[in-house]
Amino acid sequence: MKHLLIVLLLIVSFGVTAQPARRLEKPAADGPIPVGQAVFYGEFVQRLKKFKSGGYPQDIRLINIETNEVLVFRVKSTFKTSKENQFCYLIEPGTYAILNYWWTESKWYGGRSYMEPIYKGEDSIQETERKIKSKEQRPDELVLFKFTVAENTLNYVGTWHFENSPVFFTNDKEKTDEEMQDKYKKLDFRSSRTAIPD
């Protein structure tokens, strides 16, 4: 029975990642929020040190809780090696859960990619599997991080700390607002809503 639960958990996790995901787009640098949409922004701290990231891109996959649509957005661009990277994307209003983090570690032979499911308060997927196998935890106890955005709003979703597992989020809004304002002149970051995943 325990093997069945682990297999079920992995099928759900990877089955969702196999579902085609729609890539989110960035807002126009000199335009307002399109009517009926929302914008979310923040900062992302990647898992790898400069050297190990090898310039490979890194993505986050979200799922819309109401529609089950899977979305993907880039948190580290190709060829960038910065530990911290800002992000800003257009999205439809709704409640979203973070599904997984896709990243590639640079190796001498190329790269090794990881698709890491993200659960609240949980360490790596290997540790989660171990807990489920040893019956320290049930699969139905795993909780996803969620955030909600409303129509025609600008939403600060925090600094996403993925440098270690388990992941966590902090509020560095003032600093991020200041940096984002230089890139998106028509968006009023100081009056944005706070929607940090919880």
Side-chain angles (χ1 to χ4, degrees), residues 40 60-64 69-71 73 91 97-99 147:
F40 72 97
I60 294 287
R61 281 183 175 73
L62 305 173
I63 188 165
N64 183 312
E69 181 181 22
V70 177
L71 307 166
F73 68 98
I91 198 165
I98 300 170
L99 286 178
F147 65 94

Side-chain angles (χ1 to χ4, degrees), residues 11-96:
I11 287 171
V12 168
S13 178
F14 291 111
V16 169
T17 60
Q19 177 182 341
R22 181 170 60 87
R23 188 162 290 280
L24 295 177
E25 295 181 17
K26 295 182 178 192
D30 58 351
I33 299 169
V35 175
Q37 293 206 334
V39 171
F40 72 97
Y41 71 99
E43 191 148 351
F44 185 82
V45 185
Q46 66 160 313
R47 178 69 39 94
L48 303 165
K49 293 180 175 45
K50 289 183 181 184
F51 215 45
K52 294 276 191 179
S53 71
Y56 291 107
Q58 297 179 19
D59 292 334
I60 294 287
R61 281 183 175 73
L62 305 173
I63 188 165
N64 183 312
I65 299 300
E66 291 94 21
T67 67
N68 288 325
E69 181 181 22
V70 177
L71 307 166
V72 63
F73 68 98
R74 185 128 303 158
V75 290
K76 182 184 122 13
S77 300
T78 308
F79 304 121
K80 281 189 89 174
T81 57
S82 305
K83 184 84 172 158
E84 297 179 17
N85 295 280
Q86 296 166 345
F87 59 86
C88 186
Y89 289 95
L90 291 167
I91 198 165
E92 284 75 31
T95 298
Y96 295 88

